[in-house]
Amino acid sequence: MNTVATAAAFSLPFSLCRSSKLDSKKGIKGGFGVFAVFGEEGGLVEKKNAWGALFEVEDPRPRIPQCKGKFLDVYQALEVARFDIQYCDWRARQDLLTIMLLHEKVVEVLNPLARDYKSIGTMKKELAELQEELTQAHKQVHISEARVAAALDKLAYMEELVNDRLLQDRVTTESDRISVAPSTSSSSSLVTVKSKSPRKSLNVSGPVQPYHPCLKNFWYPVAFSTDLKDDTMIPIDCFEEPWVIFRGKDGMPGCVQNTCAHRACPLHLGSVNEGRIQCPYHGWEYTTDGKCEKMPSTRLLNVKIKSLPCFDQGGMIWIWPGSDPPIANLPSLDPPPGFQIHAEIVMELPVEHGLLLDNLLDLAHAPFTHTSTFAKGWSVPSLVKFLTPASGLQGYWDPYPIDMEFRPPCMVLSTIGISKPGRLEGQNTQQCSTHLHQLHVCLPSSRQKTRLLYRMSLDFAPMLKQVPFMHLLWRYFAEKVLNEDLRLVVGQQDRMNNGANVWNWPVSYDKLGVRYRLWRDAVEGGAKTFPFSKTK
């Protein structure tokens, strides 16, 4: 069996099942620099080996879910399925280590130095015993591979049930609200509304409605720190309001309404002087908190324009557009350790930000949409899954080596395992030697426009940062990929505005997009707690 392929398969988790025992008397007890103690289930209780982190996985059995009652509800069953995955991941690593240790024992037996103190007959006997143990170990590995597939299917099925339950609960709540509303219809018609089977779909149709104020009560990244120089300004739209960002005398950023209090002139048409933004019409100057400190040709009045809380952190400029007091901590969007930022790109796109997020949270479309860019030559898998080993808004794709997360309120983070740009390898990101990390920020400029901030980081080829005009090449490639998506999403928006439901039939690989929509529905519905999210 190919050891690398086996290791790749076993980094994916699998189902609670008792493995066959190994005979510890015939097991591994030699004097080579690797030893193992076999437990009751054939697992390795203690191990020291040259393969390091691959086998240093904690035994999850002490953390088995404690479920009360004779029957499990769908959420408890989901937790049990997730525990099965963790247990079988640990179990399979022990099986793999057994094979590797037996191979080392074979090498030791075949060592030429052993011939000085062992007869040929003794060596043949030892090799025959090892061959028998290897045969049994390989059979156990094949059994484990089958358990992997079964457990992953079970987890995907349980998560689909949970998604269906959330959809049913939401639709049932809406139906109940309709049924108790004042009406002149007969009581029999009310019974019909209540008993109608809820449809398992999300309703995202019609022109985009005005944003709910609750969606504004988050920190939003609006610009890259490197783009905001001391003497420059950046105009932005956020939730259909115009703002302008600039740095004050202390170098700290500020965000003020992009409208002069005097005659409503756009301030971004002016200039930044000594940490104040100057209106180009009559020269009125405003500080980062919106106070007018200079009014040429007239008496200074107590005038102030609206400003927003604004901070510079993690290479991003953040604002808080909501009416609630801002939370104390800003989310971290830094690349993982070992990555270097190679490109930071800003684009203005003619689509509603939710539709763009739907697209970014979906990878199943890649071999059909991106056939002339990064997915050129990709085969079409028979089944695409998005697996969530822990409840939340993150997980990983199967069969693609890509980890992905939706981070509220409008960010998508992904880590892609590659051997070289555009080529996939392995079965998950841990098996890949090189990686691309991406950050997409989809700022809701208006109901029909999104400000996209894109950051690309690599954990290889640092010399690319020194290549002249490399940033232009990254931008060209990013725009080419995005344009492949954009023509489709713009078409979706047109159909949606005419009444089509863009989430009419969610399927299993739509899991992360469905969770985003349920999270957003909860926020815009004024919920105090949000599904899948630790926020609030």
Side-chain angles (χ1 to χ4, degrees), residues 398-425:
D398 177 20
Y400 306 119
I402 299 178
D403 300 336
M404 186 171 286
E405 175 185 358
F406 167 68
R407 187 167 298 176
C410 63
M411 289 83 81
V412 177
L413 296 91
S414 57
T415 300
I416 306 171
I418 54 176
S419 57
K420 57 183 179 180
R423 181 178 175 184
L424 301 177
E425 69 171 27

PDB file of all heavy atoms in Angstrom, residues 398-425:
ATOM      1  N   ASP A 398     -14.424  18.537   0.440  1.00  0.00           N
ATOM      2  CA  ASP A 398     -14.026  17.209  -0.006  1.00  0.00           C
ATOM      3  C   ASP A 398     -14.643  17.020  -1.405  1.00  0.00           C
ATOM      4  O   ASP A 398     -15.851  17.177  -1.561  1.00  0.00           O
ATOM      5  CB  ASP A 398     -14.557  16.151   0.964  1.00  0.00           C
ATOM      6  CG  ASP A 398     -14.237  14.719   0.524  1.00  0.00           C
ATOM      7  OD1 ASP A 398     -13.304  14.555  -0.293  1.00  0.00           O
ATOM      8  OD2 ASP A 398     -14.926  13.792   0.983  1.00  0.00           O
ATOM      9  N   PRO A 399     -13.838  16.779  -2.459  1.00  0.00           N
ATOM     10  CA  PRO A 399     -12.461  16.303  -2.438  1.00  0.00           C
ATOM     11  C   PRO A 399     -11.393  17.384  -2.571  1.00  0.00           C
ATOM     12  O   PRO A 399     -10.219  17.057  -2.765  1.00  0.00           O
ATOM     13  CB  PRO A 399     -12.430  15.411  -3.676  1.00  0.00           C
ATOM     14  CG  PRO A 399     -13.326  16.119  -4.650  1.00  0.00           C
ATOM     15  CD  PRO A 399     -14.430  16.714  -3.806  1.00  0.00           C
ATOM     16  N   TYR A 400     -11.738  18.650  -2.521  1.00  0.00           N
ATOM     17  CA  TYR A 400     -10.750  19.703  -2.729  1.00  0.00           C
ATOM     18  C   TYR A 400     -10.007  20.011  -1.426  1.00  0.00           C
ATOM     19  O   TYR A 400     -10.627  20.085  -0.364  1.00  0.00           O
ATOM     20  CB  TYR A 400     -11.422  20.980  -3.239  1.00  0.00           C
ATOM     21  CG  TYR A 400     -12.271  20.774  -4.466  1.00  0.00           C
ATOM     22  CD1 TYR A 400     -13.629  21.049  -4.456  1.00  0.00           C
ATOM     23  CD2 TYR A 400     -11.705  20.296  -5.642  1.00  0.00           C
ATOM     24  CE1 TYR A 400     -14.417  20.861  -5.584  1.00  0.00           C
ATOM     25  CE2 TYR A 400     -12.483  20.109  -6.773  1.00  0.00           C
ATOM     26  CZ  TYR A 400     -13.834  20.393  -6.745  1.00  0.00           C
ATOM     27  OH  TYR A 400     -14.596  20.203  -7.855  1.00  0.00           O
ATOM     28  N   PRO A 401      -8.689  20.230  -1.480  1.00  0.00           N
ATOM     29  CA  PRO A 401      -7.931  20.551  -0.264  1.00  0.00           C
ATOM     30  C   PRO A 401      -8.067  22.032   0.097  1.00  0.00           C
ATOM     31  O   PRO A 401      -7.114  22.812  -0.024  1.00  0.00           O
ATOM     32  CB  PRO A 401      -6.494  20.184  -0.650  1.00  0.00           C
ATOM     33  CG  PRO A 401      -6.441  20.424  -2.125  1.00  0.00           C
ATOM     34  CD  PRO A 401      -7.800  20.085  -2.670  1.00  0.00           C
ATOM     35  N   ILE A 402      -9.243  22.409   0.539  1.00  0.00           N
ATOM     36  CA  ILE A 402      -9.527  23.817   0.827  1.00  0.00           C
ATOM     37  C   ILE A 402     -10.297  23.932   2.140  1.00  0.00           C
ATOM     38  O   ILE A 402     -11.343  23.302   2.309  1.00  0.00           O
ATOM     39  CB  ILE A 402     -10.336  24.472  -0.314  1.00  0.00           C
ATOM     40  CG1 ILE A 402      -9.537  24.421  -1.627  1.00  0.00           C
ATOM     41  CG2 ILE A 402     -10.712  25.900   0.032  1.00  0.00           C
ATOM     42  CD1 ILE A 402     -10.258  24.995  -2.823  1.00  0.00           C
ATOM     43  N   ASP A 403      -9.764  24.701   3.080  1.00  0.00           N
ATOM     44  CA  ASP A 403     -10.468  25.062   4.305  1.00  0.00           C
ATOM     45  C   ASP A 403     -11.150  26.407   4.073  1.00  0.00           C
ATOM     46  O   ASP A 403     -10.575  27.301   3.440  1.00  0.00           O
ATOM     47  CB  ASP A 403      -9.505  25.181   5.482  1.00  0.00           C
ATOM     48  CG  ASP A 403      -8.772  23.878   5.764  1.00  0.00           C
ATOM     49  OD1 ASP A 403      -9.305  22.822   5.389  1.00  0.00           O
ATOM     50  OD2 ASP A 403      -7.678  23.928   6.349  1.00  0.00           O
ATOM     51  N   MET A 404     -12.361  26.579   4.604  1.00  0.00           N
ATOM     52  CA  MET A 404     -13.115  27.803   4.340  1.00  0.00           C
ATOM     53  C   MET A 404     -13.906  28.211   5.568  1.00  0.00           C
ATOM     54  O   MET A 404     -14.365  27.365   6.341  1.00  0.00           O
ATOM     55  CB  MET A 404     -14.055  27.609   3.147  1.00  0.00           C
ATOM     56  CG  MET A 404     -14.790  28.859   2.699  1.00  0.00           C
ATOM     57  SD  MET A 404     -15.686  28.612   1.128  1.00  0.00           S
ATOM     58  CE  MET A 404     -14.326  28.606  -0.031  1.00  0.00           C
ATOM     59  N   GLU A 405     -14.064  29.516   5.737  1.00  0.00           N
ATOM     60  CA  GLU A 405     -14.818  30.047   6.874  1.00  0.00           C
ATOM     61  C   GLU A 405     -15.555  31.314   6.456  1.00  0.00           C
ATOM     62  O   GLU A 405     -14.996  32.168   5.756  1.00  0.00           O
ATOM     63  CB  GLU A 405     -13.873  30.374   8.034  1.00  0.00           C
ATOM     64  CG  GLU A 405     -14.555  31.036   9.212  1.00  0.00           C
ATOM     65  CD  GLU A 405     -13.596  31.468  10.299  1.00  0.00           C
ATOM     66  OE1 GLU A 405     -12.375  31.222  10.171  1.00  0.00           O
ATOM     67  OE2 GLU A 405     -14.050  32.076  11.297  1.00  0.00           O
ATOM     68  N   PHE A 406     -16.807  31.429   6.887  1.00  0.00           N
ATOM     69  CA  PHE A 406     -17.508  32.713   6.827  1.00  0.00           C
ATOM     70  C   PHE A 406     -17.360  33.363   8.182  1.00  0.00           C
ATOM     71  O   PHE A 406     -17.708  32.784   9.213  1.00  0.00           O
ATOM     72  CB  PHE A 406     -18.994  32.542   6.514  1.00  0.00           C
ATOM     73  CG  PHE A 406     -19.789  33.802   6.741  1.00  0.00           C
ATOM     74  CD1 PHE A 406     -19.606  34.913   5.937  1.00  0.00           C
ATOM     75  CD2 PHE A 406     -20.691  33.887   7.795  1.00  0.00           C
ATOM     76  CE1 PHE A 406     -20.321  36.085   6.167  1.00  0.00           C
ATOM     77  CE2 PHE A 406     -21.408  35.051   8.032  1.00  0.00           C
ATOM     78  CZ  PHE A 406     -21.228  36.145   7.208  1.00  0.00           C
ATOM     79  N   ARG A 407     -16.785  34.564   8.206  1.00  0.00           N
ATOM     80  CA  ARG A 407     -16.613  35.287   9.458  1.00  0.00           C
ATOM     81  C   ARG A 407     -17.514  36.513   9.439  1.00  0.00           C
ATOM     82  O   ARG A 407     -17.339  37.399   8.603  1.00  0.00           O
ATOM     83  CB  ARG A 407     -15.156  35.686   9.667  1.00  0.00           C
ATOM     84  CG  ARG A 407     -14.876  36.286  11.023  1.00  0.00           C
ATOM     85  CD  ARG A 407     -13.382  36.362  11.304  1.00  0.00           C
ATOM     86  NE  ARG A 407     -12.777  35.036  11.334  1.00  0.00           N
ATOM     87  CZ  ARG A 407     -11.460  34.829  11.478  1.00  0.00           C
ATOM     88  NH1 ARG A 407     -10.643  35.858  11.589  1.00  0.00           N
ATOM     89  NH2 ARG A 407     -10.982  33.598  11.486  1.00  0.00           N
ATOM     90  N   PRO A 408     -18.507  36.559  10.324  1.00  0.00           N
ATOM     91  CA  PRO A 408     -19.438  37.688  10.327  1.00  0.00           C
ATOM     92  C   PRO A 408     -18.711  39.012  10.505  1.00  0.00           C
ATOM     93  O   PRO A 408     -17.684  39.073  11.183  1.00  0.00           O
ATOM     94  CB  PRO A 408     -20.330  37.394  11.537  1.00  0.00           C
ATOM     95  CG  PRO A 408     -20.260  35.904  11.716  1.00  0.00           C
ATOM     96  CD  PRO A 408     -18.857  35.545  11.332  1.00  0.00           C
ATOM     97  N   PRO A 409     -19.239  40.071   9.834  1.00  0.00           N
ATOM     98  CA  PRO A 409     -20.508  40.072   9.120  1.00  0.00           C
ATOM     99  C   PRO A 409     -20.396  39.844   7.615  1.00  0.00           C
ATOM    100  O   PRO A 409     -21.390  39.581   6.967  1.00  0.00           O
ATOM    101  CB  PRO A 409     -21.020  41.490   9.372  1.00  0.00           C
ATOM    102  CG  PRO A 409     -19.766  42.310   9.415  1.00  0.00           C
ATOM    103  CD  PRO A 409     -18.723  41.436  10.058  1.00  0.00           C
ATOM    104  N   CYS A 410     -19.160  39.930   7.031  1.00  0.00           N
ATOM    105  CA  CYS A 410     -19.103  39.913   5.560  1.00  0.00           C
ATOM    106  C   CYS A 410     -17.773  39.411   5.027  1.00  0.00           C
ATOM    107  O   CYS A 410     -17.374  39.781   3.934  1.00  0.00           O
ATOM    108  CB  CYS A 410     -19.376  41.324   5.015  1.00  0.00           C
ATOM    109  SG  CYS A 410     -18.138  42.550   5.500  1.00  0.00           S
ATOM    110  N   MET A 411     -17.073  38.558   5.793  1.00  0.00           N
ATOM    111  CA  MET A 411     -15.742  38.115   5.389  1.00  0.00           C
ATOM    112  C   MET A 411     -15.725  36.619   5.078  1.00  0.00           C
ATOM    113  O   MET A 411     -16.377  35.826   5.755  1.00  0.00           O
ATOM    114  CB  MET A 411     -14.717  38.410   6.489  1.00  0.00           C
ATOM    115  CG  MET A 411     -14.392  39.888   6.649  1.00  0.00           C
ATOM    116  SD  MET A 411     -15.569  40.789   7.668  1.00  0.00           S
ATOM    117  CE  MET A 411     -15.020  40.375   9.308  1.00  0.00           C
ATOM    118  N   VAL A 412     -14.947  36.245   4.064  1.00  0.00           N
ATOM    119  CA  VAL A 412     -14.717  34.847   3.727  1.00  0.00           C
ATOM    120  C   VAL A 412     -13.216  34.605   3.733  1.00  0.00           C
ATOM    121  O   VAL A 412     -12.460  35.309   3.060  1.00  0.00           O
ATOM    122  CB  VAL A 412     -15.289  34.483   2.341  1.00  0.00           C
ATOM    123  CG1 VAL A 412     -14.971  33.026   2.002  1.00  0.00           C
ATOM    124  CG2 VAL A 412     -16.791  34.713   2.300  1.00  0.00           C
ATOM    125  N   LEU A 413     -12.782  33.625   4.529  1.00  0.00           N
ATOM    126  CA  LEU A 413     -11.373  33.250   4.589  1.00  0.00           C
ATOM    127  C   LEU A 413     -11.223  31.830   4.056  1.00  0.00           C
ATOM    128  O   LEU A 413     -12.031  30.951   4.378  1.00  0.00           O
ATOM    129  CB  LEU A 413     -10.834  33.318   6.021  1.00  0.00           C
ATOM    130  CG  LEU A 413     -10.815  34.697   6.683  1.00  0.00           C
ATOM    131  CD1 LEU A 413     -12.120  34.935   7.438  1.00  0.00           C
ATOM    132  CD2 LEU A 413      -9.649  34.828   7.644  1.00  0.00           C
ATOM    133  N   SER A 414     -10.192  31.605   3.257  1.00  0.00           N
ATOM    134  CA  SER A 414      -9.963  30.268   2.708  1.00  0.00           C
ATOM    135  C   SER A 414      -8.469  30.004   2.627  1.00  0.00           C
ATOM    136  O   SER A 414      -7.681  30.907   2.342  1.00  0.00           O
ATOM    137  CB  SER A 414     -10.602  30.133   1.322  1.00  0.00           C
ATOM    138  OG  SER A 414     -10.107  31.114   0.430  1.00  0.00           O
ATOM    139  N   THR A 415      -8.098  28.764   2.908  1.00  0.00           N
ATOM    140  CA  THR A 415      -6.719  28.309   2.763  1.00  0.00           C
ATOM    141  C   THR A 415      -6.725  27.148   1.786  1.00  0.00           C
ATOM    142  O   THR A 415      -7.400  26.141   2.009  1.00  0.00           O
ATOM    143  CB  THR A 415      -6.125  27.874   4.104  1.00  0.00           C
ATOM    144  OG1 THR A 415      -6.153  28.980   5.018  1.00  0.00           O
ATOM    145  CG2 THR A 415      -4.683  27.419   3.928  1.00  0.00           C
ATOM    146  N   ILE A 416      -5.965  27.293   0.700  1.00  0.00           N
ATOM    147  CA  ILE A 416      -5.979  26.336  -0.397  1.00  0.00           C
ATOM    148  C   ILE A 416      -4.635  25.624  -0.448  1.00  0.00           C
ATOM    149  O   ILE A 416      -3.585  26.267  -0.516  1.00  0.00           O
ATOM    150  CB  ILE A 416      -6.250  27.046  -1.739  1.00  0.00           C
ATOM    151  CG1 ILE A 416      -7.540  27.872  -1.649  1.00  0.00           C
ATOM    152  CG2 ILE A 416      -6.305  26.057  -2.893  1.00  0.00           C
ATOM    153  CD1 ILE A 416      -7.774  28.768  -2.842  1.00  0.00           C
ATOM    154  N   GLY A 417      -4.671  24.297  -0.413  1.00  0.00           N
ATOM    155  CA  GLY A 417      -3.452  23.517  -0.529  1.00  0.00           C
ATOM    156  C   GLY A 417      -3.064  23.339  -1.983  1.00  0.00           C
ATOM    157  O   GLY A 417      -3.846  22.880  -2.802  1.00  0.00           O
ATOM    158  N   ILE A 418      -1.825  23.707  -2.323  1.00  0.00           N
ATOM    159  CA  ILE A 418      -1.349  23.619  -3.705  1.00  0.00           C
ATOM    160  C   ILE A 418       0.096  23.145  -3.718  1.00  0.00           C
ATOM    161  O   ILE A 418       0.828  23.293  -2.752  1.00  0.00           O
ATOM    162  CB  ILE A 418      -1.444  24.969  -4.449  1.00  0.00           C
ATOM    163  CG1 ILE A 418      -0.712  26.064  -3.652  1.00  0.00           C
ATOM    164  CG2 ILE A 418      -2.878  25.370  -4.690  1.00  0.00           C
ATOM    165  CD1 ILE A 418      -0.663  27.391  -4.349  1.00  0.00           C
ATOM    166  N   SER A 419       0.503  22.551  -4.834  1.00  0.00           N
ATOM    167  CA  SER A 419       1.914  22.257  -5.039  1.00  0.00           C
ATOM    168  C   SER A 419       2.564  23.368  -5.850  1.00  0.00           C
ATOM    169  O   SER A 419       3.717  23.694  -5.676  1.00  0.00           O
ATOM    170  CB  SER A 419       2.084  20.908  -5.745  1.00  0.00           C
ATOM    171  OG  SER A 419       1.384  20.915  -6.975  1.00  0.00           O
ATOM    172  N   LYS A 420       1.790  23.924  -6.745  1.00  0.00           N
ATOM    173  CA  LYS A 420       2.167  25.143  -7.443  1.00  0.00           C
ATOM    174  C   LYS A 420       0.861  25.798  -7.873  1.00  0.00           C
ATOM    175  O   LYS A 420      -0.169  25.139  -7.951  1.00  0.00           O
ATOM    176  CB  LYS A 420       3.063  24.854  -8.644  1.00  0.00           C
ATOM    177  CG  LYS A 420       2.464  23.907  -9.676  1.00  0.00           C
ATOM    178  CD  LYS A 420       3.469  23.632 -10.771  1.00  0.00           C
ATOM    179  CE  LYS A 420       2.910  22.667 -11.810  1.00  0.00           C
ATOM    180  NZ  LYS A 420       3.887  22.395 -12.878  1.00  0.00           N
ATOM    181  N   PRO A 421       0.858  27.110  -8.102  1.00  0.00           N
ATOM    182  CA  PRO A 421      -0.414  27.794  -8.369  1.00  0.00           C
ATOM    183  C   PRO A 421      -1.212  27.114  -9.474  1.00  0.00           C
ATOM    184  O   PRO A 421      -0.700  26.832 -10.552  1.00  0.00           O
ATOM    185  CB  PRO A 421       0.035  29.201  -8.774  1.00  0.00           C
ATOM    186  CG  PRO A 421       1.328  29.384  -8.061  1.00  0.00           C
ATOM    187  CD  PRO A 421       1.991  28.029  -8.059  1.00  0.00           C
ATOM    188  N   GLY A 422      -2.482  26.825  -9.188  1.00  0.00           N
ATOM    189  CA  GLY A 422      -3.367  26.238 -10.174  1.00  0.00           C
ATOM    190  C   GLY A 422      -3.402  24.724 -10.178  1.00  0.00           C
ATOM    191  O   GLY A 422      -4.152  24.126 -10.930  1.00  0.00           O
ATOM    192  N   ARG A 423      -2.603  24.076  -9.304  1.00  0.00           N
ATOM    193  CA  ARG A 423      -2.580  22.612  -9.285  1.00  0.00           C
ATOM    194  C   ARG A 423      -2.865  22.106  -7.879  1.00  0.00           C
ATOM    195  O   ARG A 423      -2.262  22.553  -6.913  1.00  0.00           O
ATOM    196  CB  ARG A 423      -1.222  22.104  -9.744  1.00  0.00           C
ATOM    197  CG  ARG A 423      -1.128  20.575  -9.778  1.00  0.00           C
ATOM    198  CD  ARG A 423       0.235  20.151 -10.282  1.00  0.00           C
ATOM    199  NE  ARG A 423       0.398  18.707 -10.218  1.00  0.00           N
ATOM    200  CZ  ARG A 423       1.529  18.066 -10.532  1.00  0.00           C
ATOM    201  NH1 ARG A 423       2.568  18.768 -10.933  1.00  0.00           N
ATOM    202  NH2 ARG A 423       1.618  16.764 -10.441  1.00  0.00           N
ATOM    203  N   LEU A 424      -3.796  21.171  -7.780  1.00  0.00           N
ATOM    204  CA  LEU A 424      -4.174  20.615  -6.484  1.00  0.00           C
ATOM    205  C   LEU A 424      -3.373  19.352  -6.206  1.00  0.00           C
ATOM    206  O   LEU A 424      -2.946  18.653  -7.107  1.00  0.00           O
ATOM    207  CB  LEU A 424      -5.669  20.269  -6.469  1.00  0.00           C
ATOM    208  CG  LEU A 424      -6.619  21.433  -6.730  1.00  0.00           C
ATOM    209  CD1 LEU A 424      -8.047  20.929  -6.750  1.00  0.00           C
ATOM    210  CD2 LEU A 424      -6.464  22.495  -5.666  1.00  0.00           C
ATOM    211  N   GLU A 425      -3.194  19.064  -4.915  1.00  0.00           N
ATOM    212  CA  GLU A 425      -2.561  17.811  -4.537  1.00  0.00           C
ATOM    213  C   GLU A 425      -3.143  17.349  -3.214  1.00  0.00           C
ATOM    214  O   GLU A 425      -3.734  18.125  -2.468  1.00  0.00           O
ATOM    215  CB  GLU A 425      -1.050  17.968  -4.408  1.00  0.00           C
ATOM    216  CG  GLU A 425      -0.635  18.834  -3.223  1.00  0.00           C
ATOM    217  CD  GLU A 425       0.864  18.805  -2.976  1.00  0.00           C
ATOM    218  OE1 GLU A 425       1.622  18.580  -3.920  1.00  0.00           O
ATOM    219  OE2 GLU A 425       1.242  19.005  -1.823  1.00  0.00           O
TER     220      GLU A 425
END
